[in-house]
């Protein structure tokens, strides 16, 4: 299958060449703090990340820029290797850079603001096919709301970005100022898998292997989506658009079915929900394609697309990570030309509009 021109890629990861890249937008206090102490995240590990894809050597081996630096750190090479090579007409930047989940909240606020300037001025200004995400210090919801309002109306930004592993489940009322601000300014909220909550990805303790940690992120995304629905976020802000990024989506039909089943029995506990849980999900939630399960019988995948709605799933490459999806090789069978076009172009237009 040949991918159509002008593809919308909803998950591109830019990286810093070094922490010094952010210094033009940091005060001297935070420059010195970053140099002396780094960013202390809510993680059980002394250094590094619990998720290896966040490390520079976990990107595609062919994605190192010719001028040097880690994969994803060069605008010109990303333009050549991703945008031009695959016909990407529009792409969203989702930086996975230590800033959210940093324990020192003032440091987190400063880093998020600097990353937003870095995205807008280094990436989007240099490449008009890109759009940035508003990175917010989500463990300080009021500061996050202020950051959203600061960038409101700036067309270089396409969405607000959170991570799935927050200190409390994302539907908790402590995070409501974030959703209120996003709804107020009319910008979608993306929740990308991963993060540093300080808690195990499992509800029963820490896993022993990286593979368990990796697979467990879909569990945290399911718990987060359940929280957003049951706590009433979509009832309170019916026009809020939520994008689950790199969380998978083949688990969604069974979750929606079970939520509806229990809602029918326990509806008296949640009288604030005027719709069945699956109706909120179908109305308010979109999904990115990578990682997309690819069963031998492709009709199973088509059934899931149909269950969720073909207008709900948006293409994402996950560049420059090793599990990059080439749009010309993504399984979309059986699918009409209209459905393929919606997947590669139209669905994202419906979420992000003219941004």
């Amino acid at each position: 299958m040949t991918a159509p021109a002008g593809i919308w890629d909803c998950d591109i990861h830019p990286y810093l060449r070094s922490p010094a890249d952010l210094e033009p937008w940091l005060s001297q206090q935070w420059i010195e703090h970053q140099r002396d102490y780094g960013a202390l995240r809510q993680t059980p590990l002394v250094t590094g990340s619990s998720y290896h894809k966040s490390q520079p050597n976990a990107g595609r081996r062919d994605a190192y820029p010719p001028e040097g630096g880690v994969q994803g750190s060069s605008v010109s090479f990303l333009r050549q290797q991703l945008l031009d090579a695959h016909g990407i007409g529009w792409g969203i930047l989702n930086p996975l850079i230590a800033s959210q989940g940093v324990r020192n909240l003032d440091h987190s606020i400063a880093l998020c603001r600097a990353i937003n300037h870095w995205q807008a001025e280094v990436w989007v200004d240099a490449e008009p096919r890109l759009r940035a995400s508003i990175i917010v210090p989500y463990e300080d919801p009021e500061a996050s709301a202020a950051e959203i309002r600061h960038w409101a109306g700036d067309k270089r930004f396409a969405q607000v970005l959170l991570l799935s592993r927050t200190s409390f489940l994302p539907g908790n009322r402590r995070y409501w100022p974030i959703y209120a601000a996003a709804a107020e300014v009319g910008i979608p909220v993306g929740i990308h898998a991963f993060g540093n909550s300080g808690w195990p990805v499992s509800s029963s303790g820490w896993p022993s292997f990286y593979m368990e940690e990796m697979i467990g992120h879909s569990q945290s995304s399911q718990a987060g989506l359940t929280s957003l629905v049951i706590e009433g976020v979509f009832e309170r802000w019916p026009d809020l658009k939520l994008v689950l990024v790199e969380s998978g989506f083949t688990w969604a039909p069974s979750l929606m079915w079970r939520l509806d089943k229990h809602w029918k029995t326990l509806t008296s506990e949640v009288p604030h929900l005027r719709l069945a849980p699956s109706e909120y999900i179908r109305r308010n939630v979109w999904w990115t394609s990578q990682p997309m399960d690819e069963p031998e019988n492709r009709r199973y995948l088509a059934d899931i697309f149909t269950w969720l709605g073909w207008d709900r799933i948006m293409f994402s490459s996950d560049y420059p990570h090793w599990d990059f999806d080439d749009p010309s090789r993504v399984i979309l069978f059986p699918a009409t030309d209209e459905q393929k076009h919606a997947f590669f172009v139209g669905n994202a237009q419906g979420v992000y509009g003219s941004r």
Side-chain angles (χ1 to χ4, degrees), residues 204-241:
S204 303
W206 295 99
S208 301
F209 298 95
Y210 164 61
M211 181 177 289
E212 296 176 86
E213 181 82 20
M214 179 181 179
I215 298 299
H217 285 292
S218 62
Q219 301 170 30
S220 65
S221 295
Q222 292 176 58
L225 178 57
T226 299
S227 169
L228 289 160
V229 172
I230 301 304
E231 294 272 7
V233 170
F234 302 132
E235 176 62 39
R236 190 174 184 87
W237 294 283
D239 296 326
L240 181 68
K241 295 179 179 179

Side-chain angles (χ1 to χ4, degrees), residues 145 148-149 152 177-187 237 239-240 355:
I148 293 168
R149 294 186 177 101
I178 298 173
Y179 309 127
E184 173 192 317
V185 304
I187 190 169
W237 294 283
D239 296 326
L240 181 68
R355 288 188 173 274

Side-chain angles (χ1 to χ4, degrees), residues 4-78:
I7 293 168
W8 289 41
D9 186 344
C10 297
D11 192 25
I12 300 171
H13 297 292
Y15 286 92
L16 301 170
R17 293 167 300 173
S18 79
D21 288 354
L22 297 180
E23 292 185 0
W25 304 283
L26 290 171
S27 69
Q28 192 61 35
Q29 172 195 353
W30 294 119
I31 291 174
E32 293 176 3
H33 184 97
Q34 185 75 18
R35 290 174 179 174
D36 292 344
Y37 305 106
L40 184 61
R41 289 175 285 180
Q42 296 185 135
T43 170
L45 304 180
V46 176
T47 60
S49 170
S50 58
Y51 195 59
H52 297 330
K53 277 174 54 177
S54 297
Q55 306 305 321
N57 63 2
R60 287 170 46 176
R61 294 296 186 266
D62 65 344
Y64 284 101
E67 69 268 32
V70 301
Q71 302 100 313
S73 64
S74 167
V75 179
S76 60
F77 194 55
L78 182 142

Side-chain angles (χ1 to χ4, degrees), residues 58 108 121 124 147 220 249 255-256 259 283 295 314 338:
S108 180
E121 297 171 35
V124 182
E147 190 69 14
S220 65
F249 59 87
L255 177 66
M256 293 162 69
L259 282 171
R283 186 188 72 185
M314 307 183 297
E338 181 179 349

Side-chain angles (χ1 to χ4, degrees), residues 20-330:
D21 288 354
L22 297 180
E23 292 185 0
W25 304 283
L26 290 171
S27 69
Q28 192 61 35
Q29 172 195 353
W30 294 119
I31 291 174
E32 293 176 3
H33 184 97
Q34 185 75 18
R35 290 174 179 174
D36 292 344
Y37 305 106
L40 184 61
R41 289 175 285 180
Q42 296 185 135
T43 170
L45 304 180
V46 176
T47 60
S49 170
S50 58
Y51 195 59
H52 297 330
K53 277 174 54 177
S54 297
Q55 306 305 321
N57 63 2
R60 287 170 46 176
R61 294 296 186 266
D62 65 344
Y64 284 101
E67 69 268 32
V70 301
Q71 302 100 313
S73 64
S74 167
V75 179
S76 60
F77 194 55
L78 182 142
R79 180 187 296 119
Q80 171 191 331
Q81 191 175 47
L82 176 66
L83 304 181
D84 294 343
H86 297 284
I88 306 299
W90 193 92
I92 297 180
L93 301 173
N94 292 318
L96 300 180
I97 300 168
S99 56
Q100 302 172 305
V102 170
R103 297 185 198 181
N104 182 325
L105 290 179
D106 288 332
H107 191 200
S108 180
I109 292 168
L111 287 170
C112 289
R113 174 62 63 87
I115 290 170
N116 291 332
H117 276 290
W118 171 76
Q119 289 183 88
E121 297 171 35
V122 173
W123 289 85
V124 182
D125 286 352
E127 176 45 72
R129 285 175 286 184
L130 298 176
R131 292 295 182 273
S133 293
I134 302 175
I135 308 302
V136 296
Y138 49 71
E139 299 302 355
D140 187 331
E142 296 295 342
S144 297
E147 190 69 14
I148 293 168
R149 294 186 177 101
H150 175 82
W151 297 103
D154 190 326
K155 295 301 184 180
R156 293 176 295 183
F157 291 87
Q159 67 179 2
V160 177
L161 187 68
L162 313 180
L163 297 178
S164 64
R165 292 177 67 178
T166 45
S167 293
F168 294 80
L169 286 168
N172 189 284
R173 292 191 180 207
R174 65 175 281 147
Y175 300 114
W176 282 18
I178 298 173
Y179 309 127
E184 173 192 317
V185 304
I187 190 169
V189 173
I191 299 183
H192 196 291
F194 327 132
N196 299 282
S197 65
W199 304 106
V201 71
S202 156
S203 62
S204 303
W206 295 99
S208 301
F209 298 95
Y210 164 61
M211 181 177 289
E212 296 176 86
E213 181 82 20
M214 179 181 179
I215 298 299
H217 285 292
S218 62
Q219 301 170 30
S220 65
S221 295
Q222 292 176 58
L225 178 57
T226 299
S227 169
L228 289 160
V229 172
I230 301 304
E231 294 272 7
V233 170
F234 302 132
E235 176 62 39
R236 190 174 184 87
W237 294 283
D239 296 326
L240 181 68
K241 295 179 179 179
L242 179 79
V243 181
L244 291 183
V245 186
E246 205 171 324
S247 295
F249 59 87
T250 55
W251 46 262
S254 60
L255 177 66
M256 293 162 69
W257 179 88
R258 185 160 293 278
L259 282 171
D260 282 359
K261 178 179 185 297
H262 289 300
W263 174 74
K264 292 174 182 177
T265 304
L266 302 173
T267 186
S268 62
E269 187 195 19
V270 286
H272 54 279
L273 298 184
R274 295 189 294 178
L275 303 175
S278 64
E279 293 183 59
Y280 290 110
I281 293 173
R282 287 195 176 96
R283 186 188 72 185
N284 293 86
V285 180
W286 282 257
W287 322 73
T288 65
S289 59
Q290 206 287 330
M292 181 162 66
D293 298 330
E294 300 178 1
E296 291 185 13
N297 186 336
R298 298 181 181 183
R299 185 169 295 277
Y300 296 151
L301 185 61
D303 288 343
I304 291 172
F305 270 65
T306 301
W307 177 280
L308 294 178
W310 278 85
D311 62 337
R312 296 283 131 171
I313 303 170
M314 307 183 297
F315 172 73
S316 61
S317 69
D318 196 26
Y319 181 89
H321 293 157
W322 57 266
D323 46 4
F324 167 82
D325 274 351
D326 181 332
S328 68
R329 297 179 179 273
V330 172

